[in-house]
Amino acid sequence: MAQNPPGLQAAIAATRFGLGARPGEIEAATADPKAWLIRQIRPQGADQPAGSFANARDQLIALAGYREDRKEAKAEGVALPKAARRMAAQPASMAIADTAVPAAPAMDADAQRKADMLKTELKSVRNQAGEEFLARAQLAASTPDSFRERWATFWFNHFTVSAVKLESAVVTGPFEREAIRPRVFGRFEELLVASSTHPAMLLYLDQARSAGPNSIGGRTRKLGLNENLAREIMELHTVGADAGYTQADVTEFARALTGWSVGGPKDAGRGFDGRYLFRAAIHEPGGREIMGRQYDQSGEAQARAVLHALAIDPRTAKHISRKLAIHFVADDPPPALVDRLSDAWMKSDGRLDVVARALIEAPEAWDPQARKFKTPYEFVVSGYRAAGVQPTKVEHLRILTALGQKPFSPPSPKGWSDEAADWATSDGVIKRLEWAKGFAVVVGPLVDPVATARSSLGARLSERTATAVARAESRPEALALLLMSPEFQRR
C-alpha cells in the first residue's frame, strides 16, 4: 500500500483514530502521525472525566437507602406524587431530559417534609448520570489524546451496561470509570474479569440473584438460574456467536457463574454492601464441561477458570479483532487487518496495548478513503472539537437522544452499532443538519470557518467543501456547511 503524504496521514490520525481534530492538532501530528498516536498508549489506561462522582458502592447504598425510606414512608401513608414515582421508575439517563416534577397535592406539614426528603434522595442518586455523561463528553471534546479516548469508548461499548433500569443506570458511569478505563491498555483477561464482576454488569444482566437449582439457596429460597451474563460473555464479550458453542455450554457456564452477586444492606456489616460478593449458598455444586473443557474447580474459582479459558481462546482474539477493525477502519474490514490484530493479540497473551500499537502500524488502517460514518456521539463531539469548545450543560447533549443515541442507554447488550446503515438514514441526517445549524448559530460567530475547515480536516478537506465554506453568506452558515460536509461526516 502506497505511503500517504504526511499531511494526509496526520489528518487520518486525528479524524479516524481520534475523535476529530481540534485547532492545531493536525499540525502537531504531522511530523510523525504514528508516533503521535503511539504516545497516547499508556499503562495506566484512559483518562478519567473531571469531577467528583460517587463510586458504584456509594450509589447503590444511596439507592437502597432511598428505597428503604420510601417503604417506611408508604407504611406511614406518605407517597411520592405520580410524576416523582415515574421518575423513580425511569432510567437514570433520563436525567439528561427535563425532570421537573409538578407540585404535589396538599399534604400536612410532616407528610410534605417526608415527601420532599424522598424526592431529594431520588434526585441525588439519579442526577449523577447526567452530570457524569456531561463530564465524559467534555473530556472527549477537549482531550489532546483522543485516540486514547476513542479506544476507551470502544471498550465501554464492547462491555455494554445500559441505563434501562434504575439499578444499573445509577452505576453505569461508575462502571466505565472503575472497570473499563483503568484497564484498556492492560491484558484483556483483566478487563473481562473486572467488567464481569462489577455490580453494574451483575445488575444489568440479572446475574445477582441467579442461583443453582441444587444449591442450598436454590432449594430453600426457590431462586432460579439466569443465563443472561453467561450468554453475553460468550456471544458478545469473548468468542462470538459463531464460535460453535451450544445452548448446553451456555447453561453450564451460567451454573458456574451462580453465586456471583452484589451485596445488599444485610451485607453491610461485612463491608460488602454495594460491592461484588460471591454467595456460596447459591452456587451450583459440581464440575462442569463447557466447550469441550472440564472445570473441576469449586465455588468462585470455577467461573474464573472459564473466563481465563475464554480470554485466551483464539476465537476471542479473532472476534474482537474484527470488531476493532470495523470500529476504526471499515464496516467490511480488510481480512489482512483482522489477521494482524488477531496475531498481535495471541502473541502478546491478549495485551491490549500491543493490539493498539498493531492497529496504528497496520497499513490497512491508513487507507485514504474515509469508510466510516460517524455515530451521533462522534459527530457531536467532533463538532465541538473542530470549534475548539466543549459542552457546558447537560442540556447541550439532549440532541443525542433525538439522533437515536440516548446517553448511557444502548438498546441491548450488543451496545451501539458501528455500521453506517444504522446511522446514515434520511431522518438521522436531517436531525444532524438541524443540530449543526443551531450549533453554528451559537459557535459560528466565535470562529473563522475557513480556518476551522482547514484545521479540522487538513488534507482531507475537499476543494468543493472549501469553496462552499468560503462563499457562505455568514459564519454560522459556513460552519454548518462544514459540519454537514461528506468528509466531516465520515472518518
Side-chain angles (χ1 to χ4, degrees), residues 124 131 160 171 193 202 213 236 249 251 261 283 316 362 378 388-389 408 416 429:
S124 176
E131 293 301 321
T160 288
V171 288
V193 171
L202 297 171
L236 302 177
D249 292 321
T251 301
S261 187
H283 177 69
T316 294
E378 293 169 346
V389 297
F408 285 155
W416 296 114
V429 172

Side-chain angles (χ1 to χ4, degrees), residues 371-458:
R371 300 180 184 276
K372 294 299 299 182
F373 188 81
K374 293 177 181 178
T375 66
Y377 180 73
E378 293 169 346
F379 168 59
V380 171
V381 165
S382 63
Y384 277 102
R385 290 181 67 83
V389 297
Q390 56 182 294
T392 57
K393 298 179 180 179
V394 173
E395 290 77 13
H396 293 164
L397 301 171
R398 286 181 180 173
I399 183 60
L400 293 172
T401 299
L403 291 173
Q405 200 172 16
K406 182 190 293 186
F408 285 155
S409 301
S412 79
K414 290 182 178 180
W416 296 114
S417 170
D418 250 334
E419 300 184 8
D422 295 305
W423 303 115
T425 63
S426 56
D427 180 66
V429 172
I430 290 171
K431 288 178 179 176
R432 289 185 187 217
L433 175 59
E434 293 172 352
W435 178 81
K437 288 179 177 178
F439 180 74
V441 166
V442 176
V443 177
L446 307 177
V447 302
D448 178 347
V450 173
T452 299
R454 294 196 192 103
S455 66
S456 64
L457 293 172

Side-chain angles (χ1 to χ4, degrees), residues 65 76 94 103-104 199 209 251 255 287 361 370 431 433 448 454 474 478:
E76 296 172 8
M94 290 296 289
R209 289 177 58 82
T251 301
R255 288 171 177 159
E361 294 177 340
K431 288 178 179 176
L433 175 59
D448 178 347
R454 294 196 192 103
S474 67

